[in-house]
Each structure stands twice: as C-alpha cells, then as structure tokens.
Amino acid sequence: MKDTLLCPCQSGKLYSDCCEPFHLRKLHPTTAEQLMRSRYTAYTQLNIDYIVATTVPNQQLSLDRKMMMKWSKTTQWKGLEIVQHNPKFSKNHATVEFKALFKTDNGQDIHHELSLFVKINDCWFFVDPNVTIPKKQLCFCGSGKKFKQCCGILI
C-alpha cells in the first residue's frame, strides 16, 4: 500500500501510521482493538501469515491457511465497524465486538462477531473459537488452570 492511503481498518489514519507497523512486525498492538483492526486489514491484503501469527500460538497449526487465503481472495472487503471494545474483560483477556462488511458473488454481507483476545507475554492474540482445544490441558494463557476452567468458559 502506498503511504498516502487510508488504512482499510477505517481508523481514519494512514496505513503507514496505523496497521503497517504491525504487519511489518516493527510494533505489537498494545490493545485488542488494535489487533482486531490489524487482522482485518491483513485479510484485505491477503496477509495470511500475519493472521496466523496473531492467533493464539497453540492454535496456529490447526488453522486452514488455504481456506483463509481463498476467503480473503474471493471477498471484496468494504469496511470494519468496531461496535465495542472491552479491554478489561478479565486480567489477561479483552473482547472486541465488530462488524466486517464485505461483498461476495452472492451480494453484500456482514460478519458480526464478539471476539476473545488473550495477552500472553505482553502480546495480544486472537482466540479462534473454531479451533478445538482439549479441555483437560493447561490453558494457553498461562493461568496454570485447565483450559476448560479458564479460557474455555469464555468461548
């Protein structure tokens, strides 16, 4: 993207001052909302590597990169609306409710989601609700609790 283009996440900022530093790994998002915005923008740019890297590490190998790339390529992204950001959902968790607007061969559509994010070693990660995690294993957030008694009850 050129340095003069507005960021696709609709923050009102230039891409170079908004999501680009995250995509180039020069900075890490400091809030779950920043991470959500940068993930949306990554989808608009077919940057699946960034989407994977910002998903909880123990979920990354289970992601379907081909499906993600196909969805990203075949979708005309039309905008992002942050409905609500709850930065203190719990000690290490935040939520972001958003609407991603897009157009497909079937017409205009909206993906409306309430997403969970977890902070691990001072970095925010998206918790993918579609990736199965054994309920009896220790939680990925570092709480020391079993997943089913920690992040598992949140998704």
Side-chain angles (χ1 to χ4, degrees), residues 23-153:
H23 293 166
L24 296 175
R25 313 286 167 84
K26 291 181 178 180
L27 295 173
H28 294 287
T30 58
T31 68
E33 181 179 345
Q34 282 182 331
L35 180 58
M36 179 64 241
R37 288 181 180 281
S38 67
R39 286 174 57 88
Y40 170 84
T41 299
Y43 267 114
T44 71
Q45 298 177 356
L46 310 178
N47 187 349
I48 302 307
D49 288 341
Y50 183 79
I51 299 296
V52 171
T54 57
T55 302
V56 169
N58 76 345
Q59 292 184 318
Q60 293 175 6
L61 292 177
S62 299
L63 297 175
D64 186 343
R65 287 174 172 265
K66 287 182 183 179
M67 184 278 304
M68 294 164 73
M69 181 59 83
K70 181 180 178 186
W71 186 47
S72 190
K73 280 183 177 179
T74 60
T75 302
Q76 295 176 25
W77 302 98
K78 297 295 184 182
L80 177 69
E81 176 189 342
I82 301 296
V83 177
Q84 183 178 352
H85 173 217
N86 182 351
K88 297 186 188 261
F89 185 73
S90 75
K91 181 181 173 186
N92 293 327
H93 298 91
T95 59
V96 178
E97 182 180 3
F98 69 94
K99 293 178 182 178
L101 310 170
F102 59 96
K103 185 176 178 184
T104 65
D105 293 337
N106 298 325
Q108 182 104 356
D109 208 346
I110 297 173
H111 177 79
H112 186 180
E113 183 176 314
L114 176 62
S115 293
L116 179 66
F117 296 83
V118 62
K119 197 170 196 179
I120 303 171
N121 298 326
D122 290 325
C123 290
W124 284 103
F125 292 93
F126 170 69
V127 180
D128 192 323
N130 300 309
V131 175
T132 303
I133 297 171
K135 303 288 186 198
K136 293 185 179 184
Q137 82 176 36
L138 288 179
C139 194
F140 49 72
C141 76
S143 67
K145 297 178 183 178
K146 290 184 180 180
F147 175 74
K148 71 177 183 177
Q149 298 167 332
C150 191
C151 291
I153 61 174

